[in-house]
């Protein structure tokens, strides 16, 4: 019994983290002045673990989401594209978003999308859920996955 209550507590913490009451950050316009020939600065996601502020993490997650946005919208109520709308996906049961014909594999996976479940799926979708129809979009870079998941968590509390 001890083990299962720990798991429940962990799951709840994940859900609560997904429903943070913090307002979504305002879009920030940034003007970067650079000398000709100077290298572009590294994106925030490449910074050492722990030194990135939540705002920077979300901003770099939004930028990294560019590789997902060909298939996924995140705006509330936006129609599904070739992938389901991901608004509020953190904390939701897998394969249950409205308006999308999910694979049987994902719909019956029993997964609830916590940060760590998402991390495993984004690292290797077909490895995590054999039979899923998300056959592209894997993200090899752990810091990019972390940033994208932080961005998706905020997209649920707008
Ligand atoms: C080539 C199109 C494509 C790309 C690119 C893609 N996905 Fe997907 N994604 C899908 C499809 C299709 C599904 C539905 C899979 C199923 O039903 O098995 C899906 C499902 C998902 C789900 C599960 C949603 C739910 O409600 O259960 C998540 C989360 C997700 N994708 C995140 C991402 C992220 C984050 C990226 C970018 C790193 C990404 N995807 C890139 C097509 C794509």
């Amino acid at each position: 019994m001890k083990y299962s209550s720990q798991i429940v507590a962990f799951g709840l913490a994940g859900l609560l983290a997904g429903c943070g009451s913090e307002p979504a950050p305002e879009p920030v316009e940034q003007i970067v002045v650079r000398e000709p020939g100077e290298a572009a600065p590294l994106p925030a996601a490449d910074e050492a673990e722990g030194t990135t502020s939540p705002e920077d993490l979300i901003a770099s997650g939004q930028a990294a989401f560019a590789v997902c946005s060909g298939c996924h919208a995140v705006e509330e109520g936006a129609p599904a594209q070739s992938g389901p709308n991901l608004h509020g996906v953190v904390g939701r049961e897998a394969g249950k978003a409205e308006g999308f014909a999910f694979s049987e594999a994902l719909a019956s996976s029993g997964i609830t999308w916590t940060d760590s479940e998402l991390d495993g799926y984004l690292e290797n979708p077909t490895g995590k859920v054999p039979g899923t129809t998300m056959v592209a979009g894997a993200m090899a870079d752990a810091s990019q996955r972390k940033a994208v998941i932080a961005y998706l968590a905020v997209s649920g509390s707008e």
Side-chain angles (χ1 to χ4, degrees), residues 65 67-68 71-72 82-84 86 89 92-97 100-103 106 113 118 121-122 132-134 136-137 139 148 152:
F65 191 76
V67 302
C68 324
C71 295
H72 291 288
S82 52
L86 295 180
V89 73
R92 188 161 73 205
E93 279 180 71
K96 298 289 189 286
F100 187 80
F102 285 94
S103 67
L106 192 63
W113 290 127
L118 281 166
Y121 187 64
L122 296 182
T132 182
T133 48
M134 179 163 146
M139 268 192 160
V148 163
L152 288 175

Side-chain angles (χ1 to χ4, degrees), residues 14 17-19 45 54 57-65 68 74 86 88-91 113-123 139 141-157:
C19 308
L57 189 66
I58 290 161
S60 59
Q62 184 168 19
F65 191 76
C68 324
V74 281
L86 295 180
V89 73
V90 180
W113 290 127
T114 59
D115 289 6
S116 69
E117 294 282 18
L118 281 166
D119 187 68
Y121 187 64
L122 296 182
E123 182 178 16
M139 268 192 160
D141 185 318
S143 62
Q144 283 205 338
R145 293 198 301 275
K146 187 178 170 190
V148 163
I149 292 164
Y151 170 63
L152 288 175
V154 171
S155 87
S157 56

Side-chain angles (χ1 to χ4, degrees), residues 12-107:
L12 263 181
L15 278 179
L16 291 175
C19 308
S21 54
E22 292 220 338
E26 297 286 332
V28 178
E29 219 167 23
Q30 212 183 13
I31 297 170
V32 181
V33 181
R34 224 179 290 141
E35 295 299 326
E38 197 183 323
L42 289 173
D46 286 347
E47 282 174 23
E49 191 89 356
T51 59
T52 311
S53 72
E55 290 77 15
D56 285 350
L57 189 66
I58 290 161
S60 59
Q62 184 168 19
F65 191 76
V67 302
C68 324
S69 59
C71 295
H72 291 288
V74 281
E75 299 78 25
E76 187 170 14
Q81 302 172 12
S82 52
N85 184 320
L86 295 180
H87 184 82
V89 73
V90 180
R92 188 161 73 205
E93 279 180 71
K96 298 289 189 286
E98 278 185 29
F100 187 80
F102 285 94
S103 67
E104 185 56 33
L106 192 63

